[in-house]
Amino acid sequence: MYEKAMEILEKGFRFADTNENLYVYYINMASMNDRCDDSQNEFKMAQAALQYAESDVDIAPCYLQMAHSEWNLSEFDLESHGQEAIKYSRLCLSYVEKSLSENQGNILVLRKIARFCCQMMCTIYEERGEKDKAAEQVKRALKYTDEGGEEGKEVYMSLVHYDIGKKNVNALKNLRILLRYYDTKKEKFDICHQLMMKY
């Protein structure tokens, strides 16, 4: 399925005669390579897209794909690829924040990109045993998380885990917020019971 989509993209490349079209081609190729688990080509295509990006809104997804590619490769070399993923995530976030401050682009998409960058950095810091830095990224993700929905639930769940693990006084406050995401008394009891058993 992905091979056929890439074949169609390749055919379309012949008609890409503007920077905008070339950007769309390369960023789509980066995404397709990601879906085919080809991290090296994902990185190369995102780099190529970056050359044709004409705005901050266009630049952010390029750095996101580059960070994601390095994140995938970090399972083979956590130190070097993990550090590169953090570097590109930070670059991506800087362009997201600039775009948001100037009210450019799709706000929901930009906030989703920012959350994903924070999630990547959090995971890498966790794997490296840097719990405080991981917790910082979870808190940073809150800035881009709407109160309702699954994203909010995930962020507050992570916060509660960090707070309890560090015996942080904010644990109960964040737990109260987390419980708002559950509808029934049984769900609320179960989540408290899971957390209690964990700690």
Side-chain angles (χ1 to χ4, degrees):
M1 183 176 156
Y2 293 133
E3 288 81 2
K4 185 60 72 179
M6 288 180 88
E7 194 180 314
I8 294 166
L9 268 174
E10 288 289 356
K11 286 188 190 302
F13 178 64
R14 290 177 299 167
F15 308 106
D17 58 352
T18 65
N19 280 0
E20 185 182 355
N21 287 345
L22 286 164
Y23 168 80
V24 169
Y25 166 75
Y26 282 116
I27 203 70
N28 283 335
M29 284 296 284
S31 180
M32 292 303 294
N33 278 294
D34 166 29
R35 288 174 183 152
C36 295
D37 296 321
D38 187 346
S39 297
Q40 289 180 335
N41 272 326
E42 177 188 1
F43 188 91
K44 286 177 189 171
M45 294 296 110
Q47 259 188 330
L50 192 57
Q51 295 176 56
Y52 299 103
E54 295 182 338
S55 70
D56 296 334
V57 172
D58 290 341
I59 291 170
C62 298
Y63 282 125
L64 174 68
Q65 293 285 171
M66 290 160 82
H68 186 256
S69 164
E70 292 289 348
W71 186 30
N72 284 338
L73 292 168
S74 70
E75 66 178 293
F76 307 110
D77 183 349
L78 180 61
E79 198 50 49
S80 66
H81 286 295
Q83 196 55 44
E84 288 296 290
I86 288 168
K87 176 179 90 177
Y88 290 121
S89 291
R90 285 180 177 153
L91 279 166
C92 177
L93 277 170
S94 69
Y95 283 99
V96 165
E97 285 169 357
K98 195 173 173 194
S99 300
L100 288 171
S101 70
E102 293 170 359
N103 207 22
Q104 293 179 359
N106 185 318
I107 291 169
L108 292 176
V109 170
L110 288 167
R111 285 167 66 83
K112 186 175 181 180
I113 288 172
R115 278 198 307 274
F116 191 57
C117 285
C118 294
Q119 178 192 342
M120 278 193 284
M121 288 192 282
C122 175
T123 304
I124 292 161
Y125 284 131
E126 266 195 330
E127 287 170 357
R128 295 198 323 198
E130 299 175 68
K131 301 291 184 188
D132 288 346
K133 288 183 179 178
E136 275 173 33
Q137 293 310 317
V138 174
K139 287 172 186 167
R140 191 175 187 179
L142 270 179
K143 184 175 160 186
Y144 307 105
T145 305
D146 296 326
E147 278 297 309
E150 286 300 309
E151 295 90 359
K153 187 194 288 186
E154 285 172 24
V155 171
Y156 278 104
M157 179 67 83
S158 298
L159 273 177
V160 170
H161 278 292
Y162 286 119
D163 289 340
I164 293 174
K166 289 182 67 66
K167 300 181 176 66
N168 192 318
V169 292
N170 288 325
L172 287 176
K173 174 186 157 197
N174 287 325
L175 176 58
R176 279 194 293 274
I177 297 170
L178 173 65
L179 290 174
R180 291 181 202 154
Y181 288 90
Y182 296 90
D183 297 323
T184 67
K185 287 184 178 180
K186 183 183 184 326
E187 287 173 328
K188 293 178 190 222
F189 175 82
D190 287 347
I191 198 67
C192 289
H193 184 256
Q194 284 171 34
L195 288 163
M196 180 271 291
M197 292 300 287
K198 183 175 174 67
Y199 295 101

